[in-house]
């Protein structure tokens, strides 16, 4: 019976630790759609939604589309803040 109880307890502790870690990661992340700044009309630049998920939490990696354009966060009618890869 001792050979059965110890592995079950260790498994339950590991599962609890993994779930706790995941809940903290989800709590600290802010996932938003990335917007590309379209300057084809310099007098009227627009923020175009790319529907690519990006994070507002700073990391070493910028969120980019397939063409290498840095994606930005939409704030009102402008997109001043760069986003990061989740």
């Amino acid at each position: 019976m001792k050979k059965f109880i110890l592995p079950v307890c260790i498994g339950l502790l590991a599962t609890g630790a993994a779930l706790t870690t995941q809940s903290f990661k989800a709590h600290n992340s802010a996932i938003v759609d990335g917007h590309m700044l379209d300057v084809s009309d310099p007098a009227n630049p627009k923020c175009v939604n790319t529907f690519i998920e990006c994070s507002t939490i700073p990391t070493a990696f910028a969120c980019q589309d397939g063409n290498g354009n840095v994606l930005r966060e939409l704030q009102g009618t402008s997109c001043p803040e760069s986003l990061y890869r989740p």
Side-chain angles (χ1 to χ4, degrees):
M1 191 67 163
K2 286 183 181 180
K3 291 183 180 181
F4 177 73
I5 292 175
L6 185 60
V8 170
C9 290
I10 291 172
L12 289 173
L13 285 172
T15 302
L19 291 174
T20 302
T21 301
Q22 289 300 322
S23 69
F24 280 120
K25 285 182 182 177
H27 178 69
N28 289 333
S29 65
I31 304 297
V32 296
D33 282 344
H35 290 73
M36 180 182 70
L37 188 59
D38 180 13
V39 291
S40 58
D41 179 11
N44 188 22
K46 297 178 187 174
C47 296
V48 180
N49 193 347
T50 61
F51 300 102
I52 297 173
E53 291 185 345
C54 300
S55 174
T56 59
I57 298 172
T59 64
F61 304 103
C63 191
Q64 300 178 342
D65 65 2
N67 297 326
N69 297 316
V70 175
L71 300 180
R72 302 174 166 280
E73 181 180 8
L74 183 66
Q75 295 177 355
T77 58
S78 65
C79 45
E81 300 293 326
S82 297
L83 293 171
Y84 307 92
R85 276 197 289 183

